[in-house]
Amino acid sequence: MLDTLLFPLEWFVAFVMVSFHNLFTAIGMRAESGWTWALSIAGLVVVLRILLIPLFVKQIKSSRRMQLIQPELQKIQKKYKGKKDPESRQKMTEETMELYKRTGTNPFSSCMPILLQSPFFFALFRVLNNLDEMAAGKREPIGLLTQELASQAETSTLFGASLSSTFLGSDQLSVKILTVVMIILMSVSVFITQHQLMRRNMPAAALDNPMAKQQKYIMYIMPVFFAITGVNFPIGVLIYWVVTNLWTMGQQFYVIRRMPTPGSDAEKALEARRRAKGKEIKKLSIPGLNSSSDDDDDAVEPDGEKVSLTKTGAGSSAAKKSGQRVQPASNKRGKNQKRRKR
C-alpha cells in the first residue's frame, strides 16, 4: 500500500535528480562525483520550493492575519476565562470560529507547505535507501534512475562518505564527521529562522500568546529532534534537509524585510526605510475586524486584505488621490475673505 502511494512521488524525485545530474554532467562535472549528485539533490529542493511558493505566500498572509486578530481572540478568551462548563466552552468555540470566518482567517494554512513537502522528503529517503538494491538488480529502476545510474549514485562519495550511508549504519569516520556537521548546520539554520521570526517579526504583545510559546518550543526542540533522527538518515537526505532549512532561512529573512507582521519591529524598520525614501506607508487591515479599513484611501487586495496608504508628508486626502500638492492659505488671504463677507 505504501509503495503504491509513494511511487509517483519517488518517480518525480528520481526524474528531477537525474535531470539535474544530466545538466551538471553536460557542463563538465564528473558523472560519478558525489558533488554532482549532491547538487542534484539541492536542485530537487529548489524545484519543490519554487512549486510551493504560492502556498508559502498564503502561509505568510495567514500568519499576518492571525497576528492582527490576536487582540480579538484574547478578548474572547478573557470573556470565558474560568468558565469550564460545556456551554461556555461551546460558545467560546463558536465565537472564535465566527471571528475566523468574518476575517477570512485560516489557522491551519501555516502548516500546509510543511505538510505537502513531507511526502517528497520520505520519497527521497526511500530512493536513496534503496540505491544498493537497484544497483544490484534486486529492485526495479524508478523512472529515469536506471540500474547504471543507481550504481553510480551508490558508489559516489562526498568527502569520502557515500551519499547512502548513515551515521549508525557505517563505521567510517568520514561518514560520522559529515553527519555531525550536517546535523549542526540543520540545527543552527532552524534556530536562526525561529529566532529572527520571534525577535523581529512578532509584536511585543504577541510574545505571550500560545502561538509565540509554540515558536519558542520549536526553536529549542528542533535541534534535539535533528540530533535524534539525523543519525538514522542517509547523508543524501541530510543534504536535502540542510538545503531546505537554508532556503527557509533566506526566504524568512526576505519576508520579514518586505512583508513584516503588523506591529513588529520589522514593520517599524520597513516604515522608517519607506519614510526616508519619501514613499507611502502601507498598513495592513482586515475587513470585518477594523472599522478604519473602510476608508476610501485603502487598496483592496484580491484575497480581501486591505492596505491603508499614508503619505509621508502633510496633505489632504484629496491631494493623495490626485497626486497634487495642497497650497497652504496665508493669513492675509483669510482676512480678505472675512472682509468680503462683511
Side-chain angles (χ1 to χ4, degrees), residues 311 313-316 318-329:
K311 276 287 186 181
S316 64
K320 293 175 187 176
K321 293 177 184 178
S322 64
Q324 296 178 352
R325 184 175 180 271
V326 177
Q327 296 293 338

Side-chain angles (χ1 to χ4, degrees), residues 83-126:
K83 299 180 181 180
K84 298 183 179 180
D85 58 288
E87 185 178 354
S88 297
R89 289 182 176 273
Q90 177 68 20
K91 288 182 178 179
M92 184 175 72
T93 302
E94 289 176 357
E95 289 187 24
T96 302
M97 297 306 295
E98 196 277 332
L99 175 64
Y100 287 151
K101 182 179 180 180
R102 188 174 73 246
T103 58
T105 305
N106 184 358
F108 301 106
S109 295
S110 58
C111 303
M112 290 304 295
I114 297 175
L115 292 177
L116 289 178
Q117 193 176 349
S118 297
F120 293 95
F121 174 83
F122 288 111
L124 175 64
F125 173 81
R126 286 170 61 87

Side-chain angles (χ1 to χ4, degrees), residues 168-231:
L168 296 178
S170 176
D171 295 329
Q172 288 183 294
L173 181 62
S174 58
V175 173
K176 296 187 180 299
I177 291 175
L178 187 56
T179 301
V180 171
V181 171
M182 292 285 185
I183 291 174
I184 292 174
L185 287 175
M186 288 189 299
S187 302
V188 171
S189 58
V190 168
F191 184 87
I192 293 174
T193 301
Q194 294 299 323
H195 188 269
Q196 70 176 353
L197 180 64
M198 292 187 65
R199 298 304 175 192
R200 298 190 61 241
N201 203 39
M202 275 193 179
L207 293 176
D208 293 330
N209 64 37
M211 184 184 298
K213 292 179 180 178
Q214 182 183 10
Q215 297 289 345
K216 188 175 181 180
Y217 292 148
I218 292 175
M219 186 168 63
Y220 292 104
I221 291 176
M222 287 305 290
V224 179
F225 172 77
F226 286 140
I228 295 173
T229 59
V231 294

